[in-house]
Amino acid sequence: MAAAFAVAGTAALGWFYRRDHRRAQARRHGFFDDCRGLLDQAELAQDAIDYPSLSGYYQGHSVELRALADTIQLRKLPVLWLLVTIHRPIAVHGMLDVMIRPDNTEYYSHHNNLRDWHATPPDWPQEAVIRTDDRATTASLIPPLTPYVARFTSGQRGKEIFLSPKGIRLVYRLDESQRGHYLLIRQPLFDCATLERGIAQELLQLGFDIAHSLDTAQ
């Protein structure tokens, strides 16, 4: 009898998993529905159950919006990140990364590959860690970045600003998985079903503002 209950329980969990898998894929496919018309020549791509990515052109430059469900962190609920990448040349001579509260699980980031560092300025959030590939060539980037770091982190959702001569990437926390669903199914379920157009537009504009500020500061 116990064995029969165990088999039935396993089968039920498998059915719930497959059902949630199908629902998640359908739900995630519409994640960027509110951003229609925001990008020129927009293209949507989705790989299996993963969140989709939206690419196109904004202010004449190639950009990508990518949603990422992060389930790597141990003893923490999964987080839904938005990665905003702007492929726009910037007048900088090295790579610089600002990471808020790094925990060495940021597999989507270059942060841990950059071996040099800058001390965190006193007027920056003190949980910000600044890494670079060459401290001497990126020191001049710190002052013009200051107001944008404050703007990006003001709502406690800004995670990362990455700069290179080829462009800029912002990583922003959108949501955290519902606890009960994740503990039962081990699949994240986020209340954020669609990306608000205003959030996407604000982050894109912030990225372009940072790039323009660094161009004029050089």
Side-chain angles (χ1 to χ4, degrees):
M1 183 68 70
F5 278 122
V7 171
T10 301
L13 286 176
W15 181 85
F16 279 120
Y17 178 85
R18 290 189 296 273
R19 182 201 64 180
D20 281 10
H21 189 283
R22 293 191 297 269
R23 288 181 176 178
Q25 184 174 21
R27 182 171 60 248
R28 292 176 177 184
H29 185 75
F31 186 74
F32 290 108
D33 282 356
D34 197 34
C35 296
R36 290 177 180 172
L38 179 61
L39 306 183
D40 296 327
Q41 301 179 40
E43 294 185 3
L44 187 73
Q46 184 179 21
D47 184 12
I49 195 176
D50 290 342
Y51 274 89
S53 63
L54 181 67
S55 60
Y57 288 84
Y58 190 82
Q59 297 187 14
H61 294 278
S62 173
V63 302
E64 180 187 42
L65 306 176
R66 179 187 172 202
L68 178 66
D70 181 2
T71 60
I72 296 297
Q73 301 184 61
L74 298 176
R75 297 183 298 278
K76 290 185 179 181
L77 291 174
V79 173
L80 180 61
W81 301 110
L82 178 66
L83 282 63
V84 179
T85 304
I86 299 171
H87 302 283
R88 174 201 185 280
I90 305 177
V92 300
H93 302 290
M95 292 186 289
L96 183 141
D97 189 85
V98 179
M99 181 71 74
I100 308 300
R101 293 179 295 275
D103 56 18
N104 298 320
T105 65
E106 293 89 2
Y107 62 93
Y108 50 80
S109 171
H110 292 287
H111 186 76
N112 290 328
N113 297 325
L114 303 176
R115 299 304 179 188
D116 210 345
W117 57 275
H118 291 287
T120 304
D123 52 348
W124 282 36
Q126 290 307 291
E127 59 269 29
V129 177
I130 310 170
R131 289 186 179 272
T132 176
D133 61 344
D134 187 346
R135 182 165 45 183
T137 61
T138 57
S140 63
L141 305 181
I142 302 300
L145 267 180
T146 297
Y148 300 104
V149 170
R151 178 174 153 191
F152 183 56
T153 59
S154 62
Q156 304 298 312
R157 290 180 177 268
K159 176 65 173 177
E160 180 185 27
I161 301 174
F162 173 72
L163 302 169
S164 80
K166 296 181 179 180
I168 180 170
R169 185 178 65 194
L170 305 177
V171 180
Y172 182 85
R173 181 172 62 85
L174 291 172
D175 201 1
E176 187 176 77
S177 175
Q178 295 180 12
R179 177 179 296 275
H181 186 277
Y182 183 70
L183 293 179
L184 177 63
I185 307 296
R186 306 308 294 179
Q187 287 288 327
L189 179 63
F190 301 103
D191 292 327
C192 179
T194 58
L195 175 63
E196 294 180 19
R197 184 187 184 92
I199 292 177
Q201 198 160 13
E202 182 179 354
L203 291 171
L204 284 167
Q205 190 57 55
L206 175 62
F208 276 93
D209 288 349
I210 292 173
H212 178 71
S213 177
L214 296 177
D215 285 346
T216 56
Q218 300 304 308

